[in-house]
Amino acid sequence: MDKVFIIAWKEFVATVATKGFIFGMLFPPFLITIVILVLPLLINREPPKVFGHVAVIDQSGVVAPKLEEAFSAERVKERRAQRLATAVDQSTRAMGLDEKERKLAQQQVDQMSRASAAGPGEMLMPETNLELRVLASDTPVEEAREEILKATGREQRGEGDARLALIVIPKATVSGTGETTPAGRPQFASYEILTAPRLDVEVQGDIRSETSRAIVNARLENAGQDVEKIRGLMDAPQAQIKAVTPEGDRATNRVAQMLIPGAFLFLLWIAVFTSGQYLLTSTIEEKSSRVMEVLLSAVSPMQLMVGKIMGKGAVGFLILLLYGGTGIAALVFFAMTHMLVWQNLLYLAIYFLIAYTLIACLFASIGAAVNDINEAQSLMGPVMIILVIPMMLWMPILRNPNSMFAQVCSFVPLINPFIMVLRIAGSEPVPFWQIPASIAVGVLTVLFMCWAAAKIFRIGVLMYGKPPNFATLIRWVRMA
């Protein structure tokens, strides 16, 4: 057993003491910090400018005046500022910030927008210098749309008066078609917006939303309703969602509720795949350089395989601790530790041992069977599919962690550790019996994989020549 620990320690030190490993561990957090802090300073705050006019053929005769008011310079500027304030409010609410923190964030964004050449709100929508032109109601649509063919949507100041869009509003869009739906609601005709090919999508959206709003206001006025009163009654109320904790009620972070289960899955995946990749490459290198033969003169193939798996497993566990610790520190810093169930960390460690051992057995078998990394690629395909399956099932299982599909996947060998980590960190409690049952399935799978890997490793580690396929590996397991 001492020889196994010596091999494990050698494998661990040979990996973590390299500059590549240290750089690989520190570079991702450093890169994220750079993106968060430096990238906003490098982004050009000057938004693209849109120059031209929007033509309107209003066959109802009541919508065009409202559009003229909506696209006045004052109203456009007001909408930009309001859109920015709404985006900040929604994002801060999703992050679970309290009222004081939300106001502080809004003040900081306002200061940034005032300091920017773009002006308030223009960071979310390109600066527009659009003129609204009302055409005669009997203007042929084909004739009006010909002017759009001369525009691209990217005209600059002084490049002519381009027609960037054409709005065609039939009379039935406002007054109705005279027919009703089966539910008794009046039916209205649709309207058209024809745009230049490269007109900015945000500008298109602003034209669409303001035209629709003007049409609805015209309908309400035709029905003799108070437009402002109706609009006020239809405004959706803001809900303050709070989580009840022993320390008191806390604002719920909807973003974190989605990301924490994914963080558990990706943390497990990164730790398992990285350490398994180190195991594969080191095994292939030692075999191709004939170092393996020297090692086997002092230890048995079983001791060598177990030592290598343990050493690289310690590397994976170190990755798990470092990145997991960073995530926990972030939750503590943002006062969101109430969103983390601490016993899930224990389950994460258990499922890491199961998942790593399974993948390590596969990687050790492949590394011992081939002569170089190129030969390993053909055998790595099915293994990579196994590793990718949990990522493909992330969203369906996260949305419904206790569905029949999720429960069945929790007991499928090779992928069940990843599925269970995702489920236990989700929003719904997992039936307790499924946790030890899935662990038992994982342990049984580990025992089988270790037995099969030991046989393949013993034969393949000293075999050179043509690389085997999966059928040959199965024969090795049956005959050894």
Side-chain angles (χ1 to χ4, degrees):
M1 197 63 183
D2 291 341
K3 295 181 179 180
V4 172
F5 286 115
I6 292 174
I7 295 172
W9 175 253
K10 180 187 74 71
E11 293 289 331
F12 177 76
V13 173
T15 301
V16 301
T18 60
K19 294 180 181 179
F21 179 82
I22 297 174
F23 178 79
M25 290 294 297
L26 298 180
F27 183 71
F30 174 76
L31 182 61
I32 293 173
T33 303
I34 292 296
V35 170
I36 294 175
L37 299 180
V38 178
L39 190 59
L41 302 177
L42 302 178
I43 295 177
N44 183 11
R45 294 182 180 179
E46 185 73 15
K49 295 178 173 60
V50 179
F51 297 96
H53 71 270
V54 177
V56 180
I57 300 177
D58 180 18
Q59 299 173 359
S60 69
V62 295
V63 179
K66 301 180 185 301
L67 287 177
E68 288 181 310
E69 179 185 357
F71 282 96
S72 63
E74 295 77 10
R75 289 295 303 276
V76 170
K77 186 176 181 180
E78 179 183 336
R79 281 201 303 276
R80 289 173 181 158
Q82 181 60 38
R83 184 170 300 181
L84 177 62
T86 301
V88 173
D89 182 69
Q90 291 177 348
S91 60
T92 51
R93 287 182 183 275
M95 293 172 62
L97 302 182
D98 57 27
E99 188 69 27
K100 182 178 179 181
E101 293 171 328
R102 290 203 302 271
K103 289 182 178 179
L104 180 61
Q106 184 67 63
Q107 292 174 359
Q108 292 175 344
V109 173
D110 290 342
Q111 292 174 0
M112 291 174 57
S113 62
R114 282 194 294 269
S116 171
E122 293 179 5
M123 290 186 292
L124 293 183
M125 193 178 80
E127 180 184 348
T128 57
N129 188 12
L130 295 179
E131 177 187 351
L132 194 77
R133 295 186 182 176
V134 181
L135 306 180
S137 60
D138 58 351
T139 301
V141 176
E142 290 298 324
E143 177 184 325
R145 70 187 295 274
E146 288 296 323
E147 292 294 323
I148 301 180
L149 296 176
K150 303 176 184 178
T152 64
R154 297 297 187 190
E155 283 75 13
Q156 300 297 314
R157 189 187 302 272
E159 292 185 358
D161 187 18
R163 177 169 295 175
L164 303 180
L166 172 66
I167 305 172
V168 183
I169 306 174
K171 184 177 181 179
T173 303
V174 177
S175 60
T177 60
E179 301 177 354
T180 59
T181 64
R185 296 180 178 179
Q187 290 186 339
F188 298 91
S190 60
Y191 69 97
E192 284 186 313
I193 299 179
L194 308 174
T195 68
R198 298 175 59 196
L199 183 60
D200 189 272
V201 292
E202 294 292 342
V203 176
Q204 293 183 41
D206 191 51
I207 295 173
R208 181 178 62 252
S209 62
E210 289 305 312
T211 304
S212 298
R213 183 181 181 86
I215 291 173
V216 172
N217 289 348
R219 291 174 183 174
L220 292 174
E221 289 180 354
N222 284 349
Q225 301 294 329
D226 186 332
V227 175
E228 295 302 323
K229 183 178 181 179
I230 296 297
R231 288 287 185 183
L233 292 174
M234 293 175 62
D235 283 342
Q238 293 286 346
Q240 294 185 353
I241 304 175
K242 295 184 178 180
V244 179
T245 68
E247 294 79 16
D249 297 348
R250 296 174 179 265
T252 301
N253 189 325
R254 297 194 299 273
V255 176
Q257 284 182 327
M258 294 289 292
L259 292 182
I260 286 179
F264 269 72
L265 174 62
F266 278 95
L267 184 60
L268 178 63
W269 191 90
I270 291 172
V272 168
F273 178 76
T274 303
S275 53
Q277 190 70 28
Y278 281 129
L279 175 63
L280 175 68
T281 54
S282 67
T283 303
I284 295 176
E285 289 174 359
E286 291 176 358
K287 180 181 177 181
S288 60
S289 63
R290 304 292 178 128
V291 173
M292 193 75 70
E293 299 176 6
V294 177
L295 295 174
L296 290 176
S297 65
V299 297
S300 66
M302 186 65 177
Q303 290 175 322
L304 180 59
M305 187 189 77
V306 172
K308 293 180 72 65
I309 290 177
M310 289 177 59
K312 301 304 183 186
V315 174
F317 197 71
L318 177 62
I319 296 174
L320 196 71
L321 288 178
L322 290 177
Y323 285 147
T326 303
I328 294 174
L331 292 178
V332 172
F333 179 79
F334 290 106
M336 293 191 298
T337 53
H338 63 283
M339 305 194 66
L340 181 63
V341 180
W342 295 102
Q343 68 183 20
N344 289 349
L345 299 178
L346 175 61
Y347 293 140
L348 176 63
I350 294 174
Y351 286 116
F352 165 76
L353 294 176
I354 295 174
Y356 167 73
T357 307
L358 292 174
I359 300 302
C361 288
L362 290 172
F363 280 29
S365 301
I366 294 173
V370 300
N371 301 310
D372 55 55
I373 194 67
N374 293 325
E375 295 178 355
Q377 299 304 318
S378 61
L379 298 177
M380 283 293 295
V383 179
M384 293 306 300
I385 292 175
I386 295 173
L387 289 173
V388 169
I389 287 176
M391 302 301 172
M392 299 172 59
L393 302 179
W394 174 22
M395 289 307 300
I397 292 178
L398 184 62
R399 295 294 299 272
N400 195 354
N402 284 327
S403 63
M404 180 60 67
F405 175 73
Q407 295 185 58
V408 170
C409 290
S410 299
F411 299 98
V412 175
L414 299 180
I415 68 170
N416 75 309
F418 301 96
I419 302 300
M420 284 301 298
V421 162
L422 183 61
R423 289 184 62 202
I424 62 176
S427 58
E428 297 182 14
V430 177
F432 181 75
W433 67 268
Q434 294 186 10
I435 297 177
S438 65
I439 293 175
V441 171
V443 171
L444 291 176
T445 309
V446 164
L447 294 176
F448 172 78
M449 292 301 298
C450 289
W451 170 77
K455 293 192 172 187
I456 295 174
F457 194 90
R458 186 176 65 182
I459 296 176
V461 75
L462 292 177
M463 184 171 290
Y464 299 91
K466 182 180 178 181
N469 52 28
F470 273 104
T472 303
L473 296 181
I474 294 174
R475 277 202 309 272
W476 289 359
V477 172
R478 297 176 59 183
M479 64 182 289

